[in-house]
Amino acid sequence: MFGSYEFDWSSIPGAMGFLGQGLLVSLEITGLALVAGIVWGTLLAMARLSSIKPLAWAAAGYVNLFRAVPLVMVLLWFFLIVPKLLENFLGLPSGSDVRLASAMIGFALFESAYYAEIIRAGIQSVPKGQLAAAHALGMSYPQAMLHVVLPQAFRNMVPLLLTQAIILFQDTSLVYVSALADFFGAAYKVGDRDGRLVELVLFAGAIYFVLCFAASQGVRYFQKRLQTA
Amino acid sequence: MITIDKVSKHYGNFQVLTDCSTHVNKGEVVVVCGPSGSGKSTLIKCVNGLEPFQDGAIHVNGTSVGAPKTNLSKLRAHVGMVFQHFELFPHMTISDNLRLAQIKVLKRDKDEAAEKGHYFLDRVGLKAHAHKFPGQLSGGQQQRVAIARALAMDPICMLFDEPTSALDPEMINEVLDVMTELAQEGMTMMCVTHEMGFAKRVAHRVIFMDHGKIVEDDSKEAFFANPRSERAQQFLAKILQH
């Protein structure tokens, strides 16, 4: 298939600095979405488990909506449409810098729908008697969740959360549609500039593979240790 | 101390409690017994509002449990409860288990809470285990810690929901000994239990429940010597055979 194609990797060494910066952006987006996803996802999960029906319905609607829509589309909405709406509503000057921030927010909102489901399962894995015992000691619902239920839930969830974080890191490659110079976007740009797209995309793929495979091995090791502890 | 007045509770069409009335005086030890599914655990959980009920009223030290404006957290802070499955918090050391609610609910400072916790841990004979996690203790030890955790809140009364039912036989006595000591010190106690030996030794009154109703409510002497209802006679005959 590649019989007539001559590989030329020479544009990579010179672009290492640029690619490295791209990788940093990818890791930053991952970290940000991870934190936002866990915080917002925890609130969504608690809302979904709430006995206040409208709250539970709203959270379920949110989770189902974001899980039923492709990530690329969400990113484009938040890159193209949401900033326009904000401009109109808030009277911002057009072309202001909200597009990238908006795409990042869209990304975090999308990922938190997945985190919400993991966290909901984690909360449900804590025996009901724990909440009853916390209540019996006079703790309010927020106190009981914060000090008793959530710490145990997160402990049970750590492997799943880390696995989801690896998926999240891979998902960040899709933000290239919003012109954010993440790792994949940077590789694409270099390849496009030098006419060496095949090499650069292969190289980017190899780096994603190495990082994600190493991380998932790490999770597996951690999981084993958790089970024996 | 505790008055239960015509309390009824149902889940949909299923009647769990029907017209239950009784009372527990200050310093009194009342044992609640009956076959499984008779509603005794539900009744005791209504006392501190862990289970809601539809009809009737429960007052603890003058506070109405079912009233919408009652601050249940405040009430529960001073009503100790011990559960069948201990329900220690597994992610914390024994020390932290004893301190958590004292600090968060009673707003005691950390040192005071630790001191109080260790005092009661010593009382239940487990001083040496303060730094361990609940999973490292036996069931009987965990239940004694759970009792200490409740006592550290300075409760005005204690509720026990089958505290020995999940324990291996050889661990039951160490828990009952702690409860007996507590009763002798004059603690007001309501205990759901099948331990008839404990009831005979320690209880002032015995309540017998069946199908969500209080069938007998009598002094322990009268209950054991001469149970009035046929259901209680059968129950006692079965349980005392051994």
Side-chain angles (χ1 to χ4, degrees):
Chain A
M1 184 180 168
F2 290 114
S4 61
Y5 189 86
E6 293 215 2
F7 284 97
D8 176 3
W9 305 93
S10 63
S11 54
I12 293 174
M16 277 314 228
F18 184 62
L19 291 172
Q21 277 176 359
L23 190 58
L24 223 57
V25 171
S26 289
L27 291 172
E28 270 173 27
I29 301 171
T30 305
L32 203 83
L34 193 66
V35 172
I38 288 176
V39 172
W40 180 225
T42 304
L43 294 173
L44 280 171
M46 281 165 60
R48 211 172 166 183
L49 293 170
S50 164
S51 56
I52 306 163
K53 285 292 168 223
L55 198 63
W57 290 331
Y62 177 99
V63 169
N64 288 326
L65 175 71
F66 274 101
R67 282 172 29 118
V69 173
L71 174 55
V72 165
M73 286 182 56
V74 174
L75 289 173
L76 281 174
W77 289 342
F78 275 83
F79 184 62
L80 298 173
I81 303 170
V82 174
K84 283 272 176 250
L85 289 175
L86 286 178
E87 275 168 29
N88 290 344
F89 279 124
L90 302 175
L92 293 172
S94 72
S96 47
D97 232 8
V98 293
R99 296 203 303 175
L100 292 184
S102 173
M104 296 274 288
I105 290 167
F107 190 66
L109 291 179
F110 180 90
E111 296 294 343
S112 58
Y114 286 83
Y115 275 104
E117 286 300 275
I118 295 174
I119 293 163
R120 180 168 72 121
I123 291 172
Q124 286 176 318
S125 75
V126 178
K128 284 210 165 34
Q130 290 282 303
L131 187 61
H135 278 325
L137 285 163
M139 285 187 232
S140 63
Y141 180 77
Q143 283 177 329
M145 286 307 279
L146 192 64
H147 300 296
V148 175
V149 177
L150 287 178
Q152 294 182 62
F154 275 103
R155 214 177 133 146
N156 297 343
M157 288 184 295
V158 164
L160 264 177
L161 288 176
L162 289 176
T163 305
Q164 184 64 26
I166 294 169
I167 296 169
L168 191 109
F169 175 63
Q170 293 167 1
D171 284 353
T172 57
S173 63
L174 287 172
V175 303
Y176 89 100
V177 301
S178 62
L180 261 172
D182 73 312
F183 181 59
F184 182 70
Y188 194 91
K189 269 182 197 151
V190 172
D192 203 33
R193 184 194 64 194
D194 298 348
R196 288 290 160 200
L197 217 46
V198 173
E199 287 84 347
L200 264 297
V201 172
L202 279 173
F203 174 72
I207 299 293
Y208 274 113
F209 173 78
V210 169
L211 289 176
C212 293
F213 186 71
S216 65
Q217 290 304 105
V219 173
R220 189 173 296 182
Y221 173 75
F222 184 77
Q223 204 167 3
K224 263 198 191 129
R225 277 199 42 185
L226 207 68
Q227 274 163 3
T228 51
Chain B
M1 178 67 72
I2 302 170
T3 49
I4 300 173
D5 189 21
K6 295 191 174 133
V7 167
S8 294
K9 176 183 172 67
H10 56 83
Y11 297 110
N13 283 331
F14 183 65
Q15 196 75 25
V16 200
L17 297 174
T18 310
D19 225 10
C20 295
S21 295
T22 188
H23 61 93
V24 182
N25 295 324
K26 192 169 173 8
E28 202 175 23
V29 176
V30 173
V31 160
V32 184
C33 63
S36 54
S38 59
K40 52 198 191 304
S41 279
T42 308
L43 182 68
I44 204 169
K45 282 180 182 152
C46 286
V47 172
N48 67 350
L50 282 182
E51 289 274 1
F53 49 92
Q54 284 90 9
D55 298 306
I58 297 179
H59 287 84
V60 177
N61 213 14
T63 308
S64 170
V65 178
K69 63 175 195 291
T70 297
N71 183 341
L72 270 182
S73 295
K74 211 172 161 186
L75 175 81
R76 287 167 179 156
H78 295 292
V79 177
M81 183 158 211
V82 175
F83 295 85
Q84 183 176 0
H85 296 287
F86 332 134
E87 304 299 352
L88 295 179
F89 306 135
H91 58 299
M92 294 177 189
T93 61
I94 300 306
S95 243
D96 288 339
N97 263 279
L98 292 161
R99 286 198 314 180
L100 180 68
Q102 290 189 68
I103 294 169
K104 300 296 172 190
V105 178
L106 302 181
K107 310 292 177 201
R108 287 182 181 152
D109 74 51
K110 286 184 177 148
D111 294 335
E112 188 193 354
E115 201 176 308
K116 192 120 198 168
H118 288 158
Y119 169 76
F120 283 106
L121 194 60
D122 192 23
R123 287 275 312 273
V124 300
L126 294 169
K127 199 175 167 186
H129 300 277
H131 61 286
K132 290 186 183 168
F133 285 88
Q136 295 170 285
L137 301 186
S138 73
Q141 289 172 327
Q142 288 189 53
Q143 194 62 298
R144 281 147 67 197
V145 173
I147 294 172
R149 182 175 70 176
L151 291 175
M153 301 292 285
D154 293 325
I156 53 172
C157 59
M158 289 283 287
L159 308 172
F160 292 85
D161 183 14
E162 304 206 29
T164 58
S165 300
L167 294 176
D168 288 340
E170 74 259 37
M171 292 172 187
I172 290 175
N173 282 333
E174 64 186 65
V175 172
L176 291 180
D177 286 347
V178 170
M179 289 170 64
T180 304
E181 214 173 289
L182 205 54
Q184 283 162 354
E185 286 165 17
M187 176 62 80
T188 309
M189 291 162 62
M190 190 167 172
C191 315
V192 173
T193 182
H194 294 297
E195 296 299 329
M196 289 301 121
F198 172 79
K200 275 186 178 165
R201 277 199 320 275
V202 180
H204 299 107
R205 269 179 30 239
V206 178
I207 291 171
F208 178 78
M209 289 184 73
D210 191 28
H211 290 111
K213 289 182 187 144
I214 293 179
V215 181
E216 306 245 348
D217 182 351
D218 221 333
S219 72
K220 78 168 165 199
E221 291 80 9
F223 178 77
F224 284 112
N226 192 15
R228 281 170 298 192
S229 69
E230 200 179 322
R231 191 68 191 81
Q233 286 165 15
Q234 288 168 355
F235 179 81
L236 279 179
K238 271 183 196 152
I239 212 163
L240 294 179
Q241 252 170 17
H242 305 287

